[in-house]
């Protein structure tokens, strides 16, 4: 067995280690979400925590880790007779991102259940994690149907497996710990709120600390056992402190003053619901116990707020998580007494006063290489960056709005999502087929129909059907898939009017928000001057796309053909990486093409490449003014897609209902 890296040997990352230890002291805190860039010891620290947890008393032989002091009355391995329990180390169970539903919740033997009436149940990871840690690395990439199961188990403290009238229930209370890299996409709000605490981690910029990280890692890799032995004393001390804090926890007093500070803080930062108040109270109590105190102090409330509130303040995926510490300090000071009347002159900028928070409309800022900068030469000369003369600084995006649904025609087989029709494991039943591999979703009527003609030949004598494996039928289901939404945005001089570009960015931002809600991957290609750039390769991180869009300057000529050819190349490469994911190309332009020889004809030839490959596309027509040339509509015809204006893109627009993107095949029909 591999020797884990010692928890106490992790360099820095004080907030991460504290959040994990508080959950070890009080599992009721609700788990930890660790956000940060790759290579910051997220997984190392989480895996090391299990070695510090006290041993767990279990009923001998129970596969569901029942507590001998209070066994689960509905345990599938029960009922359990009273008696002494056995002790085993606390478990940390890892949930792979690509796990199946059966692997998570367990599986029933459907064939035995139908033929013999026997509940033959193989426990899943939720049973293994009961009274331990369930760790999900890259939790933001977890499939939606697994997220739903996790939410149900976390809310009810139990897992239910039900298929065709056969059901099994078992307890599933676990400490949920997840790690994620925000660059790869955000987490669903429902699951985000289930994590009690959140921590942002980043690599240290201090050379001495970085040297120590490398020194310890090299020493561990050379001889893990010897390295762990050198830290055994520190590990034992932390383990004993956890045990002492657990014993002290029931005696910690959470006074009315601390409760009022918690409630005022949650109200001041406008968090949704009451879970934040409860988590803060439990965290502050655990902090006091960890410090060896029986009273919760203001410093405990402050630290609890910094850990429990940042991820609950986000209103959309483009908001950066965080907490204004000055506002937090003012709120705690104002409500520091036992009575709300103790402060005769409350700060007008305190809770509800609107002061102290980040400036409104403070959107994400791009890096130095993507910001506006002056270029030499005129728009007719090729520029290394693709910019032309007259470049203007980036315009701020208008307020996003709810968009009409855009979908890819036909039925796909891509990753689960919420945009286009697809054959999936979850959704409405549309038919039956023979199972390929293990049976997961039984189609009962089709199974009975397949078995019925053979009952006499099989010697049926009782009331039940004689079922054989060849009779079993898998339910064919239709649901929704996520697509690759590739934005091709015109940033040329014809789009440079600040009010116009602001509206364009607002529309793209709205489509990005829609892509986030529908579980799509997104990419961003921009074109201006004399070239096109891949501003963002296909990714699940829509907030990264929003940041690139925010910093996008305008100016120069309109190399429409270059933009389309660049998008075509991005799609070609992405098909090799993810062949099952279908693409939706959204071209945001007024349809003009300038620069180079025969720009209009060249753009038409580039557009026909998409039509020939039946790539679903839509052109968002940004042309404005009383006189319109209709060039965007012509481009949509060449692409084999459809065109919508900015006004028609709004879900509440009068013109039209839901707009499905028309592919070449449908147009031909």
């Amino acid at each position: 067995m591999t020797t884990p890296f010692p928890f106490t040997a992790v360099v820095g990352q004080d907030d991460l280690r504290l959040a994990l230890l508080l959950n070890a002291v009080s599992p009721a805190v609700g788990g930890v979400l660790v956000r940060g860039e790759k290579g910051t010891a997220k997984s190392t620290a989480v895996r090391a925590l299990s070695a510090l947890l006290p041993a767990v008393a279990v009923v001998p032989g129970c596969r569901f880790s029942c507590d001998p002091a209070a066994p689960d009355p509905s345990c599938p391995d029960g009922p359990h007779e009273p008696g002494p329990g056995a002790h085993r180390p606390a478990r940390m169970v890892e949930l792979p991102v690509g796990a199946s539903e059966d692997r998570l919740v367990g599986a029933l033997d459907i064939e035995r259940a139908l033929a013999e009436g026997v509940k033959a149940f193989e426990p899943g990871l939720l049973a293994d994690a009961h009274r331990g840690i369930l760790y999900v690395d890259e939790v933001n990439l977890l499939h939606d149907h697994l997220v739903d199961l996790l939410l149900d188990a976390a809310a009810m403290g139990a897992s239910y497996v039900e298929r065709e009238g056969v059901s099994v229930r078992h307890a599933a209370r676990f400490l949920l710990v997840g790690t994620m890299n925000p660059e790869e996409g955000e987490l669903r709000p429902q699951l985000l709120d289930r994590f009690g605490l959140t921590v942002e981690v980043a690599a240290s910029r201090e050379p001495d600390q970085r040297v120590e990280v490398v020194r310890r890692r090299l020493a561990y890799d050379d001889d893990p056992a010897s390295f762990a032995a050198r830290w055994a004393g520190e590990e034992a001390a932390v383990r004993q402190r956890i045990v002492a804090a657990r014993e002290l926890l029931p005696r910690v007093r959470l006074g009315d003053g601390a409760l009022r500070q918690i409630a005022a803080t949650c109200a001041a930062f406008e968090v949704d619901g009451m879970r934040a108040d409860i988590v803060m109270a439990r965290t502050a109590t655990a902090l006091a116990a960890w410090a060896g105190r029986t009273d919760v102090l203001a410093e405990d409330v402050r630290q609890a707020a910094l850990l429990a509130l940042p991820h609950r303040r986000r209103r959309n995926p483009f908001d950066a998580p965080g907490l204004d510490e000055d506002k937090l300090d003012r709120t705690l000071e104002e409500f520091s007494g036992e009575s709300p009347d103790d402060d005769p002159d409350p700060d007008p900028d305190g809770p509800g006063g609107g002061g102290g928070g980040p400036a409104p409309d403070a959107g994400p800022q791009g890096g130095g290489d993507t910001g506006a900068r002056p270029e030499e030469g005129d728009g007719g000369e090729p520029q290394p960056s693709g910019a032309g003369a007259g470049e203007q600084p980036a315009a701020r995006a208008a307020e996003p709005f709810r968009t009409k649904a855009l979908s890819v025609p036909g039925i796909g087989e891509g990753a689960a999502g919420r945009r286009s029709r697809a054959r999936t494991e979850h959704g409405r039943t549309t038919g039956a087929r023979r199972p390929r591999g293990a049976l997961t979703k039984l189609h009962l009527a089709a199974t009975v129909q397949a078995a019925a003609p053979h009952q006499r030949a099989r010697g049926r004598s009782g009331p039940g059907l004689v079922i054989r494996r060849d009779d079993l039928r898998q339910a064919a289901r239709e649901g929704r898939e996520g697509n690759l939404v590739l934005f091709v945005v015109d940033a040329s001089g014809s789009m440079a009017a600040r009010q116009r570009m602001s509206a364009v960015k607002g529309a793209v931002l709205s489509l990005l928000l829609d892509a986030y809600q529908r579980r799509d991957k997104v990419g961003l290609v921009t074109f201006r001057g004399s070239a096109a750039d891949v501003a963002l390769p296909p990714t699940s991180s829509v907030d990264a796309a929003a940041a690139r869009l925010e910093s996008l300057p305008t100016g120069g000529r309109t190399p429409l053909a270059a933009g389309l050819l660049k998008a075509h190349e991005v799609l070609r490469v992405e098909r090799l990486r993810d062949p099952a994911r279908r693409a939706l190309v959204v071209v945001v332009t007024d349809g003009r093409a300038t620069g180079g020889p025969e720009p209009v004809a060249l753009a038409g030839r580039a557009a026909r490449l998409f039509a020939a490959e039946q790539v679903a596309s839509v052109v968002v027509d940004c042309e404005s003014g009383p006189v319109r040339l209709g060039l965007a509509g012509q481009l949509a015809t060449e692409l084999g897609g459809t065109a919508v204006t900015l006004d028609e893109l709004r879900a509440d627009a009068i013109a039209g209902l839901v707009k499905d993107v028309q592919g070449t095949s449908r147009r031909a029909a």
Side-chain angles (χ1 to χ4, degrees):
M1 182 176 178
T2 304
T3 303
F5 192 91
F7 186 86
T8 51
V10 175
V11 178
Q13 308 297 10
D14 295 338
D15 287 344
L16 169 58
R17 292 191 294 170
L18 177 61
L20 292 172
L21 288 170
L22 292 176
N23 276 275
V25 171
S26 175
V29 166
V32 187
L33 174 64
V34 188
R35 298 166 45 96
E37 58 198 21
K38 52 188 176 294
T40 50
K42 300 189 298 292
S43 300
T44 299
V46 173
R47 292 190 176 101
L49 176 66
S50 60
L52 299 177
L53 297 179
V56 178
V58 296
V59 173
C62 178
R63 297 174 298 166
F64 301 88
S65 302
C66 280
D67 186 348
D72 182 6
S74 59
C75 175
D77 285 355
H80 299 299
E81 296 294 330
H87 285 77
R88 62 160 177 79
R91 290 176 181 163
M92 191 193 72
V93 177
E94 294 196 38
L95 171 61
V97 169
S100 66
E101 179 179 335
D102 287 347
R103 185 71 188 98
L104 178 62
V105 301
L108 288 170
D109 189 330
I110 300 296
E111 186 175 2
R112 290 189 63 191
L114 288 176
E116 305 172 29
V118 176
K119 291 184 181 179
F121 181 69
E122 185 65 28
L125 295 178
L126 290 180
D128 292 341
H130 179 48
R131 303 176 67 204
I133 301 172
L134 182 63
Y135 172 46
V136 189
D137 194 13
E138 306 295 350
V139 64
N140 51 324
L141 303 182
L142 201 63
H143 290 302
D144 269 8
H145 67 284
L146 297 182
V147 171
D148 292 337
L149 293 170
L150 275 182
L151 288 171
D152 289 343
M156 297 183 292
S159 175
Y160 292 84
V161 182
E162 299 196 20
R163 291 190 181 164
E164 308 300 340
V166 182
S167 64
V168 171
R169 174 208 172 276
H170 64 83
R173 292 182 294 275
F174 47 83
L175 178 62
L176 183 60
V177 180
T179 56
M180 60 175 284
N181 184 347
E183 294 178 355
E184 297 174 343
E186 283 297 339
L187 206 57
R188 281 176 56 181
Q190 296 94 329
L191 184 56
L192 187 65
D193 192 49
R194 283 292 172 185
F195 287 98
L197 310 180
T198 186
V199 178
E200 295 280 338
V201 297
S204 172
R205 299 297 183 256
E206 293 293 331
D208 291 342
Q209 196 172 74
R210 296 176 74 97
V211 166
E212 186 61 23
V213 170
V214 175
R215 181 181 291 120
R216 294 186 186 183
R217 186 69 209 191
L218 293 178
Y220 171 78
D221 291 340
D222 289 342
D223 189 349
S226 177
F227 182 82
R230 295 208 308 267
W231 291 89
E234 287 83 350
E235 293 282 285
V238 173
R239 193 177 298 111
Q240 291 171 3
R241 187 175 175 185
I242 291 174
V243 172
R246 283 189 171 189
E247 294 175 351
L248 181 62
L249 188 65
R251 302 198 302 272
V252 175
R253 176 182 175 272
L254 183 65
D256 290 343
L259 274 173
R260 184 171 288 110
Q261 286 182 317
I262 290 170
T265 301
C266 293
F269 286 100
E270 300 179 351
V271 297
D272 294 330
M274 294 298 298
R275 184 172 286 122
D277 304 62
I278 296 171
V279 171
M280 272 190 66
R282 290 172 174 166
T283 305
T285 304
L287 280 162
W290 179 248
R293 290 184 271 100
T294 56
D295 286 307
V296 173
L297 305 180
E299 62 193 64
D300 300 322
V301 176
R302 187 182 193 279
Q303 184 64 58
L306 293 174
L307 292 172
L309 296 189
H311 61 302
R312 293 186 165 89
R313 294 190 61 243
R314 305 189 75 189
R315 291 295 184 266
N316 64 64
F318 310 134
D319 293 339
L323 213 62
D324 180 0
E325 295 192 31
D326 290 338
K327 183 175 182 178
L328 173 61
D329 290 336
R330 289 197 302 271
T331 303
L332 294 176
E333 182 179 356
E334 180 180 354
F335 290 87
S336 59
E338 291 292 331
S339 169
D341 298 327
D342 287 347
D343 187 353
D345 186 20
D347 186 349
D349 291 332
D361 301 327
Q365 298 299 317
D369 291 340
T370 58
R373 58 181 184 273
E375 298 286 350
E376 297 180 358
D378 57 44
E381 296 296 327
Q383 302 294 330
S385 66
E391 180 176 303
Q392 300 185 20
R396 188 170 297 279
E399 189 71 20
F401 52 84
R402 189 167 64 90
T403 65
K404 282 196 168 96
L406 303 175
S407 62
V408 178
I411 301 180
E413 294 182 341
R418 297 182 179 179
R419 183 171 295 278
S420 305
R421 294 172 58 198
R423 287 180 284 270
T424 62
E425 288 296 318
H426 302 271
R428 64 185 181 90
T429 301
T430 58
R433 58 176 174 80
R434 291 182 181 273
R436 306 185 191 101
L439 178 71
T440 56
K441 299 291 183 182
L442 178 73
H443 195 295
L444 182 59
T447 298
V448 172
Q449 186 176 8
H454 309 290
Q455 296 305 296
R456 179 172 297 183
R458 294 173 183 174
R460 172 187 169 187
S461 58
L465 287 175
V466 180
I467 303 290
R468 294 182 180 174
R469 181 164 294 277
D470 289 344
D471 302 326
L472 299 178
R473 294 295 183 267
Q474 177 86 16
R477 303 197 173 194
E478 182 179 305
R480 293 279 169 176
E481 67 177 0
N483 299 117
L484 166 60
V485 182
L486 182 61
F487 294 93
V488 186
V489 180
D490 184 350
S492 65
S494 65
M495 306 282 287
R498 295 191 65 81
Q499 185 175 3
R500 183 178 180 186
M501 196 60 193
S502 177
V504 168
K505 285 188 176 182
V508 177
L509 199 63
S510 303
L511 289 168
L512 281 172
L513 185 59
D514 180 69
Y516 165 78
Q517 294 167 342
R518 297 181 187 277
R519 311 290 179 261
D520 294 317
K521 291 179 71 174
V522 296
L524 179 62
V525 172
T526 64
F527 58 94
R528 63 189 180 96
S530 59
D533 295 311
V534 181
L536 184 72
T539 175
S540 297
S541 178
V542 296
D543 53 341
R548 303 294 172 87
L549 178 73
E550 186 73 20
S551 61
L552 179 67
T554 56
R557 296 188 177 181
T558 311
L560 177 57
L564 294 175
L565 291 174
K566 181 69 72 173
H568 186 267
E569 175 64 15
V570 170
L571 291 183
R572 184 189 69 79
V573 174
E574 192 63 18
R575 283 193 202 102
L576 299 176
R577 296 174 179 167
D578 193 356
R581 189 181 291 268
R582 297 187 295 164
L584 170 62
V585 176
V586 179
V587 185
V588 185
T589 181
D590 57 8
R592 291 181 173 85
T594 60
E598 299 183 343
V600 176
L602 187 60
R605 289 198 293 272
R608 286 192 287 276
L609 291 175
F610 292 84
E613 297 175 4
Q614 299 186 5
V615 177
S617 59
V618 60
V619 178
V620 179
D621 185 359
C622 303
E623 192 173 29
S624 59
V627 179
R628 304 196 180 194
L629 302 178
L631 298 176
Q634 297 176 23
L635 175 62
T637 301
E638 298 278 7
L639 287 166
T642 189
V644 295
T645 66
L646 288 175
D647 289 337
E648 291 172 341
L649 192 62
R650 293 179 177 271
D652 55 357
I654 298 176
L657 299 173
V658 174
K659 283 187 174 291
D660 283 341
V661 180
Q662 303 297 317
T664 304
S665 58
R666 181 174 293 186
R667 292 176 62 85

